Amino acid sequence: MMNTVLDLIYRLLAHPTDAMSDVTTGEKMKESSIIWGFVVLLLTLSSVEAGSFVTAFLASFVGTGSLLLIHSAVVDYISGLLGGRGTARGITAGFMCASIPYAFSVFFSLIGQFGLDGIHRFAVFAIVVWSFFLDILAIRANYGFGKGKAFFISISPFLLCGMLITALFVIGIMTALAGISELQDVEGIINSF
């Protein structure tokens, strides 16, 4: 099993298109879960102090796991609406494997500790872009979409989240304005007495 995981990690780094195709069509949940769990472990190790590791790991595991499942569900639903032929298990496995670049962020956080913030920021940006590229490859491989459609689907959860936040903000403003106008009406009634 460990040889399979190490082979998959190598293929994700050297031949990401073929590796994502294999992961998503084969629904390799075991291997992907091990990779994702390892990345969460590394990120937790690099960001917490010695006494609170177990709590931080569990919180990170549950938090990022929940976000991963929500992200997979939204992408699977939108892809299904647009005629994709993949599975939710396949895209979840693909997204788990797409987290592998974040394992390298541990090394760059150490570089940031030595005062090389410019290198650290550039590396974090490159890691985020690399992971996003792997997400697009996972969507393409799982659903059989072209590059453009896969890119659109990969940003659609963020667009939906932005629209939801904007709608809640507008509703909050409208509610506040309605409350202010009601308050002015009550003030006018009180002044008439």
Side-chain angles (χ1 to χ4, degrees):
M1 178 64 134
M2 206 57 190
N3 287 340
T4 308
V5 171
L6 293 174
D7 181 52
L8 181 57
I9 290 172
Y10 169 75
R11 289 179 55 221
L12 284 167
L13 300 175
H15 308 286
T17 305
D18 296 336
M20 276 300 178
S21 179
D22 187 36
V23 166
T24 58
T25 56
E27 297 179 351
K28 298 190 178 228
M29 291 297 287
K30 287 181 190 174
E31 295 88 347
S32 301
S33 297
I34 291 171
I35 290 171
W36 178 76
F38 177 70
V39 170
V40 171
L41 177 70
L42 278 179
L43 291 175
T44 305
L45 279 172
S46 69
S47 64
V48 299
E49 295 157 13
S52 62
F53 171 73
V54 174
T55 306
F57 176 73
L58 290 175
S60 180
F61 189 83
V62 170
T64 57
S66 299
L67 290 175
L68 172 76
L69 292 177
I70 291 169
H71 183 67
S72 297
V74 169
V75 166
D76 188 56
Y77 182 76
I78 292 170
S79 298
L81 285 177
L82 296 176
R85 62 179 189 272
T87 64
R89 285 177 56 91
I91 198 61
T92 304
F95 286 161
M96 284 179 169
C97 285
S99 69
I100 194 68
Y102 290 106
F104 295 100
S105 68
V106 174
F107 303 115
F108 293 108
S109 67
L110 288 174
I111 289 174
Q113 296 289 330
F114 292 114
L116 302 171
D117 289 333
I119 294 172
H120 176 250
R121 288 186 189 126
F122 176 76
V124 168
F125 176 75
I127 286 169
V128 169
V129 169
W130 183 12
S131 180
F132 183 70
F133 172 72
L134 290 176
D135 279 355
I136 293 171
L137 288 180
I139 293 168
R140 283 183 64 197
N142 192 51
Y143 299 107
F145 291 139
K147 293 176 186 174
K149 196 180 250 187
F151 175 77
F152 171 73
I153 290 171
S154 66
I155 64 169
S156 62
F158 305 109
L159 294 175
L160 288 173
C161 185
M163 289 187 323
L164 178 65
I165 290 170
T166 302
L168 290 174
F169 182 71
V170 168
I171 289 170
I173 289 176
M174 291 174 65
T175 303
L177 291 176
I180 290 172
S181 70
E182 293 263 338
L183 184 61
Q184 289 174 348
D185 291 342
V186 171
E187 189 176 293
I189 293 171
I190 292 174
N191 287 337
S192 67
F193 287 120

